[in-house]
Amino acid sequence: MPRFLHTADWQMGRTYSRFEPEDSAALVEARFQAIETLAQLATERQCDAVLVAGDVFDAQTVSDRTIRRVFNATSGFAGPWVMLSGNHDAALVESVWTRAQRLGAVPENVHLALQPGVITLETQGLAVLCAPLTQRHTYGDLTEPFTQYQTPEHLVRVGLAHGGVQGLLAEGIDATNPIAEDRAQTAQLDYLALGDWHGTREINPRTWYSGTPEPERFRNNDAGNALIVSIEGPGDAPQVEVVETARYQWQQWRLSLAVESDLEQLIGRLEALPPATVLDLRLSGEITLAGEDRLNQALSIAEARFRSVRCDRSELQLAPTEDDIAALHADGYLGTVIDALRERQEGEDGESARDALAILASLLKDDNREVQP
């Protein structure tokens, strides 16, 4: 019974310039570790092959070091790897793949699917029908020739392609080339392994997107997995197991604060997250000065625990209560300034007014601490 690992969208060479340098470096390294995890998983689960459905590399211009590290990371699995070119690493006349070959970086057990056709893995019982992208954008269905490909009857027939299933993934796909929803049926495939959609998704029992093994976007699409696919023999239904491979969990929260319980709930959610979290948080609504202190403390703790925390508070207005103002001892002119800043948060320069109010409150708190006996 052939068993193989289906993965895709490694995007090696991707950079994370919007993050702090330390976090960016860790996220880049996690992608190399993901390949090592896949190799280990394939070995432990006694897979016959690893199929990579496109976008191994994020761009044609990745460094030679990145190329070498990618293929070095596959060494944990000695069986055959089949790597398909996708839209980010299309098999151009001169490409990242030709450079890898010139470098001598491609191991003997790695098969590069750079031309349409069939890669026969006789020992493993697999015939892999390949639809590589030979240019970045293609508007025809490159899997259509699968219907004409002849393969030995005793081999399990597996398609390998990169693109968007027609009518299902129009939004959020990277490649423009369409793939017929019923391609597995029309081409008599036992399984169709797809890439481009970065999350795990079943199209039908014989057609799956594996998603990227390590998330790299704030998108709730079940990324960070690989698929272990077992097929008893030609014509039999595939058994697909989703296996989590992600090092980091990417979370994107959009929350509105209105009452104290909203803040309590936010802090509770922060405390429940695992350390390997990349969090993008955007807050709106209102918060008291006392609440702002609690929020700052919670975020400070989170920043030390998590891989990365980015918090946008530009739409979160400070709404000091009477108790807040009394605690600041902001009488007379200072009280008038605070009231003016509170009102200006509603205008075009609301973010500046909010920052000014926060700074003023912080200075007043520091002054009060200094005068206390």
Side-chain angles (χ1 to χ4, degrees):
M1 176 176 68
R3 177 185 295 118
F4 56 88
L5 187 150
H6 168 198
T7 180
D9 300 295
W10 294 357
Q11 312 295 147
M12 302 308 298
R14 178 181 286 273
T15 58
Y16 299 89
S17 57
R18 56 180 168 169
F19 293 93
E20 295 296 327
E22 178 184 352
D23 296 328
S24 175
L27 296 174
V28 168
E29 192 62 27
R31 306 201 73 76
F32 288 102
Q33 293 170 356
I35 303 175
E36 296 172 352
T37 297
L38 294 172
Q40 181 180 359
L41 178 62
T43 298
E44 291 176 351
R45 299 298 298 272
Q46 298 181 327
C47 290
D48 295 297
V50 175
L51 308 184
V52 191
D55 282 358
V56 170
F57 297 98
D58 191 55
Q60 303 284 4
T61 55
V62 300
S63 68
D64 289 355
R65 181 173 184 267
T66 293
I67 293 174
R68 292 185 186 279
R69 288 195 66 192
V70 165
F71 291 107
N72 288 345
T74 68
S75 62
F77 176 66
W81 297 69
V82 180
M83 296 186 180
L84 186 84
S85 57
N87 60 305
H88 281 257
D89 53 10
L92 310 175
V93 174
E94 177 62 29
S95 70
V96 63
W97 302 105
T98 56
R99 191 147 49 95
Q101 291 170 321
R102 283 200 302 273
L103 289 170
V106 184
E108 292 184 1
N109 64 322
V110 175
H111 303 264
L112 302 184
L114 308 181
Q115 295 293 331
V118 180
I119 293 177
T120 302
L121 304 177
E122 181 72 37
T123 303
Q124 291 74 25
L126 294 170
V128 185
L129 288 68
C130 303
L133 271 74
T134 56
Q135 56 190 41
R136 183 171 176 83
H137 298 294
T138 304
Y139 297 93
D141 187 345
L142 298 181
T143 67
E144 187 172 356
F146 288 179
T147 61
Q148 306 299 321
Y149 290 168
Q150 301 297 314
T151 58
E153 293 184 359
H154 65 284
L155 298 182
V156 167
R157 191 172 161 97
V158 178
L160 190 63
H162 190 88
V165 173
Q166 290 178 295
L168 294 181
L169 301 177
E171 182 180 352
I173 62 172
D174 284 340
T176 53
N177 62 297
I179 296 173
E181 182 181 357
D182 62 349
R183 182 59 66 213
Q185 178 183 356
T186 60
Q188 298 181 320
L189 301 176
D190 296 301
Y191 183 83
L192 177 55
L194 296 178
D196 188 51
W197 182 255
H198 284 210
T200 302
R201 181 164 178 174
E202 177 184 1
I203 302 303
N204 58 56
R206 294 187 184 274
T207 305
W208 284 71
Y209 285 93
S210 65
T212 180
E214 182 65 32
E216 88 296 358
R217 302 175 180 176
F218 292 108
R219 184 176 294 170
N220 185 21
N221 63 350
D222 195 20
N225 302 310
L227 303 178
I228 300 291
V229 183
S230 303
I231 305 175
E232 190 68 32
D236 292 322
Q239 301 173 22
V240 182
E241 179 185 354
V242 180
V243 181
E244 184 176 354
T245 56
R247 170 71 176 89
Y248 293 111
Q249 295 184 17
W250 289 53
Q251 301 274 345
Q252 187 176 57
W253 297 352
R254 300 293 181 257
L255 303 176
S256 178
L257 305 182
V259 294
E260 185 176 351
S261 60
D262 293 336
L263 179 60
E264 294 288 348
Q265 185 178 19
L266 168 59
I267 293 174
R269 289 182 65 183
L270 286 172
E271 292 174 346
L273 287 174
T277 293
V278 178
L279 177 63
D280 179 60
L281 177 61
R282 181 179 298 171
L283 299 175
S284 60
E286 294 184 345
I287 190 170
T288 66
L289 292 182
E292 174 91 342
D293 284 343
R294 293 195 60 209
L295 176 61
N296 287 337
Q297 182 180 11
L299 289 174
S300 178
I301 293 172
E303 287 168 356
R305 284 186 60 225
F306 303 154
R307 176 68 272 165
S308 174
V309 178
R310 301 167 69 234
C311 182
D312 181 354
R313 287 186 269 182
S314 60
E315 297 180 6
L316 181 64
Q317 296 185 3
L318 287 175
T321 65
E322 297 300 326
D323 290 340
D324 287 333
I325 295 174
L328 293 175
H329 304 289
D331 299 325
Y333 175 72
L334 286 177
T336 302
V337 172
I338 289 175
D339 288 339
L341 290 174
R342 291 170 64 182
E343 293 178 1
R344 291 183 66 176
Q345 289 184 100
E346 302 285 351
E348 294 182 357
D349 57 349
E351 186 174 353
S352 297
R354 183 200 182 284
D355 292 342
L357 181 55
I359 293 171
L360 178 58
S362 176
L363 292 173
L364 290 173
K365 289 174 188 175
D366 290 341
D367 288 343
N368 291 334
R369 292 191 191 100
E370 291 177 1
V371 301
Q372 286 180 358

